[in-house]
């Protein structure tokens, strides 16, 4: 393998963040145009995106194993790559949970939470695009804070959604299913925040 330039690593982060964003957009489409009979096909498309992200991460790990010099600490590259990949996995987990729980109709709060996840993934992609300039960037901190706020807003929506679920849902099976789905949606926003917060750690370790 030819020696990888520093751009390879930063571009890989961007490409993996793009996978998370595209998966989140696909999830939004599933929820807004929900057709149980087409769920298999939609989940397959999300899985293809998730697999693409895995491949990007494998390429990074392979390059890292053969590189003597890297733009940031090797451990930080691995940690950040894993955290971004976790976001895409979290999005796929939501779609799989909807399928496994055999959901027939979508609650409006779920669409609202999905939109928050899309926003967080969009900011994460912007964050990764800016990351290469981390030693002098004035935007990174703002973007991290923006994701932190989205996660905080998501916590509030999660609590409201769970309360509404328990006060309006009469079917105990549907209640259990949606409580589980909301948990996975909240975990997705947590994954976005974790990836963003790890940027701050990387900045401290490499400046």
């Amino acid at each position: 393998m030819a020696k990888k330039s520093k751009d390879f690593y930063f571009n890989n982060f961007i490409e993996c963040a793009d996978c998370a964003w595209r998966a989140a957009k696909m999830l939004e489409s599933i929820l807004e145009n929900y057709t149980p009979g087409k769920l298999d096909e939609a989940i397959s498309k999300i899985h293809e995106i998730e697999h693409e992200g895995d491949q990007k991460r494998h390429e990074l790990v392979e390059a890292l194993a053969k590189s003597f010099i890297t733009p940031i600490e090797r451990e930080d590259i691995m940690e950040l790559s894993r955290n971004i990949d976790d976001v895409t996995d979290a999005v796929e987990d939501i779609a799989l949970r909807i399928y496994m729980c055999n959901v027939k109709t979508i609650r409006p709060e779920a669409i609202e939470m999905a939109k928050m996840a899309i926003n967080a993934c969009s900011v994460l992609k912007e964050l990764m695009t800016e990351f290469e300039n981390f030693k002098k960037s004035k935007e990174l901190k703002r973007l991290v804070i923006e994701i932190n706020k989205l996660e905080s807003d998501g916590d509030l929506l999660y609590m409201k959604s769970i309360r509404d679920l328990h006060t309006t849902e009469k079917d105990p099976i549907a209640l259990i299913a949606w409580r589980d789905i909301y948990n996975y949606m909240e975990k997705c926003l947590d994954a976005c925040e974790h990836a963003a917060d790890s940027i701050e750690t990387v900045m401290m370790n490499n400046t």
Side-chain angles (χ1 to χ4, degrees):
M1 177 183 291
K3 179 181 177 182
K4 296 294 185 182
S5 70
K6 70 172 186 176
D7 291 342
F8 166 81
Y9 297 99
F10 293 113
N11 288 338
N12 187 281
F13 293 147
I14 296 169
E15 290 165 355
C16 289
D18 182 66
C19 287
W21 178 78
R22 285 189 285 123
K25 287 290 289 182
M26 181 64 66
L27 176 65
E28 180 190 37
S29 178
I30 290 173
L31 298 179
E32 288 188 328
N33 308 283
Y34 192 65
T35 307
K38 296 182 178 180
L39 192 54
D40 282 354
E41 180 183 353
I43 287 177
S44 293
K45 291 179 180 178
I46 289 183
H47 184 69
E48 288 175 8
I49 297 172
E50 188 273 337
H51 181 67
E52 181 183 340
D54 282 345
Q55 289 297 111
K56 294 292 181 184
R57 185 162 186 264
H58 292 325
E59 290 170 11
L60 182 143
V61 171
E62 184 179 355
L64 193 61
K66 298 181 179 181
S67 296
F68 293 101
I69 300 174
T70 55
I72 58 177
E73 295 293 334
R74 304 169 75 85
E75 294 80 5
D76 291 331
I77 291 174
M78 287 294 296
E79 176 74 9
L80 188 52
S81 176
R82 180 168 53 249
N83 290 342
I84 298 171
D85 187 60
D86 285 346
V87 176
T88 311
D89 289 345
V91 174
E92 184 183 28
D93 284 343
I94 296 169
L96 291 173
R97 194 59 47 174
I98 291 170
Y99 173 78
M100 287 187 285
C101 290
N102 195 29
V103 168
K104 300 302 183 183
T105 59
I106 300 299
R107 295 177 68 92
E109 297 90 349
I111 296 176
E112 192 175 353
M113 290 185 76
K115 289 183 182 297
M116 281 190 174
I118 292 167
N119 289 339
C121 288
S122 178
V123 178
L124 181 63
K125 182 179 175 181
E126 189 177 352
L127 185 62
M128 291 301 103
T129 302
E130 182 69 17
F131 179 52
E132 185 173 1
N133 302 314
F134 71 91
K135 290 185 178 179
K136 56 184 179 181
S137 174
K138 299 184 183 300
E139 286 294 296
L140 283 176
K141 183 66 176 179
R142 178 187 66 80
L143 293 169
V144 170
I145 291 173
E146 188 173 345
I147 291 179
N148 291 158
K149 185 178 186 307
L150 283 167
E151 193 279 334
S152 180
D153 291 344
D155 282 344
L156 295 175
L157 178 57
Y158 168 74
M159 288 187 289
K160 178 180 181 300
S161 299
I162 291 293
R163 177 171 174 79
D164 288 347
L165 180 65
H166 281 268
T167 56
T168 62
E169 183 57 66
K170 304 304 181 183
D171 181 352
I173 295 177
L175 188 150
I176 293 170
W178 276 108
R179 188 168 58 193
D180 200 26
I181 293 165
Y182 286 150
N183 283 338
Y184 275 84
M185 288 184 162
E186 198 267 341
K187 288 178 181 179
C188 181
L189 284 166
D190 283 347
C192 289
E193 182 179 48
H194 186 56
D197 287 345
S198 66
I199 289 290
E200 293 187 307
T201 302
V202 171
M203 291 170 64
M204 291 176 61
N205 291 343
N206 293 273
T207 54

